Amino acid sequence: KHWLHLAESGLKGEHNLLNGAIAAAVASIIGVTNDQIIEGLKAFEPLPHRLEKVTTVKGVLYVDDSYATTPESAMAALTAFDESAVWIGGGSTKGADFTELARAINESSVRAALLLGQEASKIAQALKKIAPRISVEICPSLSEVVARAGELARPGEVVLLSPACASKDMFTNAAERGQQFQDLVKKNANLQTP
């Protein structure tokens, strides 16, 4: 039975849509009405640092997915947006292979990658080999990444922090990385407001 379009729900990304479908099925089994399920899906907001909308600046949506600390979780986040994107990745090493991530990025709406941290050069190498159409830059700090993203992104695009790596090289944890990203985005937004 068709209840609601993904665009009407608070869900972004195929993985969250599947989670929502499972939750809806279980809710239905235990007696929750269809109207209640639909309202719950419409009201859904992601947990902090999980495809969390930060703000929109000059028509550019900034999204914090700092808890995407593996290539697989970043790949899932890439499915959440049809809009052209500037992707922010990198961080501390977990010994990951970035080949499949580079393939997913090549097939996604990502047009530019801003990288930082210990794994930046390894990700850059994978992207240059597999996704040569992607503009790739390595930045020394998160503040430079956010500033550069503001320069690169165009109205209607998404800036997605979904690092595919741990955060221990520059931050205490992924939550701190995400919060610093949000703070920097909001600070830059305030600087751009006349």
Side-chain angles (χ1 to χ4, degrees):
K1 181 176 179 177
H2 179 275
W3 287 340
L4 138 114
H5 289 285
L6 176 60
E8 297 173 306
S9 76
L11 304 172
K12 289 297 261 180
E14 291 175 18
H15 61 298
N16 282 329
L17 179 60
L18 291 173
N19 290 339
I22 292 167
V26 171
S28 180
I29 290 168
I30 63 171
V32 178
T33 68
N34 288 351
D35 288 342
Q36 290 171 322
I37 292 169
I38 289 168
E39 287 309 309
L41 290 172
K42 284 182 178 179
F44 177 81
E45 292 187 21
L47 293 169
H49 317 299
R50 290 181 175 93
L51 289 178
E52 181 182 5
K53 292 178 183 177
V54 177
T55 192
T56 300
V57 181
K58 293 185 174 182
V60 176
L61 174 63
Y62 287 79
V63 178
D64 171 8
D65 192 37
S66 185
Y67 279 158
T69 61
T70 65
E72 295 77 16
S73 55
M75 288 163 51
L78 294 172
T79 70
F81 303 97
D82 294 325
E83 301 89 347
S84 182
V86 174
W87 174 68
I88 300 170
S92 59
T93 187
K94 285 181 158 183
D97 180 342
F98 297 107
T99 304
E100 291 304 314
L101 175 63
R103 284 192 183 107
I105 288 172
N106 191 49
E107 295 170 8
S108 75
S109 62
V110 171
R111 67 172 182 81
L114 298 174
L115 307 173
L116 74 160
Q118 291 173 337
E119 293 287 56
S121 61
K122 188 174 175 183
I123 296 169
Q125 287 173 358
L127 287 172
K128 287 175 183 174
K129 179 179 178 184
I130 295 168
R133 71 170 183 84
I134 305 292
S135 166
V136 177
E137 296 180 35
I138 297 176
C139 299
S141 68
L142 188 57
S143 62
E144 275 198 45
V145 164
V146 171
R148 187 68 181 123
E151 294 167 1
L152 285 174
R154 303 175 196 135
E157 292 187 328
V158 174
V159 171
L160 174 63
L161 169 67
S162 191
C165 297
S167 56
K168 299 290 186 180
D169 57 340
M170 302 172 87
F171 308 94
T172 304
N173 54 40
E176 180 189 27
R177 173 175 57 195
Q179 190 58 56
Q180 283 190 27
F181 173 73
Q182 290 190 25
D183 293 345
L184 288 163
V185 166
K186 290 172 184 173
K187 178 182 173 187
N188 285 357
N190 289 336
L191 293 175
Q192 293 179 24
T193 304

